[in-house]
Structure formats: C-alpha cells, structure tokens
Amino acid sequence: MRLTTKGRFAVTAMIDLALHSGHGPVTLAGISERQKISLSYLEQLFGKLRRNKLVGSVRGPGGGYRLAKPMNEVSVVDIILAVDEPIDATQCGGKENCHNDQRCMTHDLWASLNVRIRDYLALVTLEQLVASPKVKDIAVLQDMRACKQPEETALA
C-alpha cells in the first residue's frame, strides 16, 4: 500500500494546526512556511477538511483555521479519508477485477491488510501525535527556522 502525498500532507498540516492552535486561528501561510507545502495545495486540502468538519475557518484580520473537534476525536484515518485518499493495497481498488476482469489470487490478502491499516490508523489520534516528544522537538526546530528566515532574507 502506498500513501500518496495528499494523505501525508493532510496529516502533517493537521498536526501543525493542532500544535499552533493555542494562540488562535492558524494561517495556511504559516503552515506552508513551516511544512514546505505549497499554499495552493494546502487551500485544496483544507477545503476538503472543512467540508468534512475537521477544521473550521475564521475570516478577517487574525483569521485562519482552527480544529473543529477536540484532538482526541480526530483520527489519522478521519484525516486521510477527508481528503479523498483511499486506504487500499489491492491492485483493483477493491473491485475484484485485477486479473483478466476476475478476482486475483491475492485479493483477500490485500483486502485484509486494508482492514488492518484502517483499524490501526483509526486508533491513532491527533492528540497522540501532538503529544509525541519527537513531534514537539521537530515543531520547535521548524518554528525557529521560520523565525530566522525573514532575517536571512533581509541580510542577503
């Protein structure tokens, strides 16, 4: 099974949002700068996250995004499915037509793997990811780099 960029970026952006939401709404520009994800791509992802009620938007000066649910109620599988990312290791996308329009010999193996992956990702919450000491350490480094960048640009 392969998780595409869309799913990875959505989870990363949600972790960033959760880590920085203590000071009010978080801008997509801030997430973009810290995570090196294009702003236009984040806009697409957050549109889907908003439609699936995982985030809410705040308009106007000081606006941005906030979590729409408590972190312990948002699982990784919720995030991935919200951005239309399939969790599927089968070659046929679950249609059972990958071998001459028939079910292949390994279909049940990959379908069972799908269930296990989905079950595992449903158990991992945004709260758990944000509480990870490694995630916190990385976030501190990203914040420091983001603060230094304007100075470096001014010096150039």
Side-chain angles (χ1 to χ4, degrees):
M1 193 204 102
R2 183 174 69 91
L3 182 61
T4 66
T5 301
K6 187 186 334 181
R8 291 180 194 278
F9 281 179
V11 173
T12 299
M14 287 290 285
I15 293 169
D16 187 287
L17 175 66
L19 284 166
H20 293 92
S21 62
H23 306 293
V26 178
T27 66
L28 293 184
I31 295 172
S32 174
E33 185 176 335
R34 286 185 297 272
Q35 302 307 324
K36 308 299 183 217
I37 303 171
S38 84
L39 186 56
S40 61
Y41 200 72
L42 283 172
E43 288 169 347
Q44 292 173 32
L45 292 176
F46 272 73
K48 291 178 180 186
L49 293 167
R50 189 176 43 77
R51 283 190 292 280
N52 283 280
K53 297 178 176 39
L54 295 181
V55 299
S57 60
V58 178
R59 294 177 174 247
Y65 285 87
R66 58 176 175 66
L67 294 173
K69 297 179 177 183
M71 286 188 276
N72 66 339
E73 293 180 19
V74 179
S75 71
V76 173
V77 80
D78 294 334
I79 298 166
I80 291 171
L81 294 177
V83 296
D84 302 323
E85 178 75 5
I87 299 174
D88 189 2
T90 64
Q91 188 177 20
C92 62
K95 296 177 185 171
E96 300 184 16
N97 64 353
C98 56
H99 186 72
N100 297 326
D101 278 339
Q102 299 291 318
R103 180 185 177 109
C104 68
M105 292 188 304
T106 56
H107 182 83
D108 289 341
L109 170 68
W110 305 126
S112 295
L113 178 61
N114 291 345
V115 171
R116 289 185 182 259
I117 291 169
R118 185 182 286 241
D119 289 349
Y120 171 72
L121 295 177
L123 294 173
V124 180
T125 66
L126 196 52
E127 181 178 57
Q128 291 169 312
L129 295 171
V130 168
S132 164
K134 288 180 183 178
V135 169
K136 288 180 181 179
D137 290 345
I138 292 167
V140 168
L141 290 173
Q142 289 173 341
D143 288 345
M144 287 174 27
R145 274 189 230 123
C147 289
K148 284 183 182 180
Q149 283 182 334
E151 291 174 18
E152 292 169 0
T153 304
L155 295 174

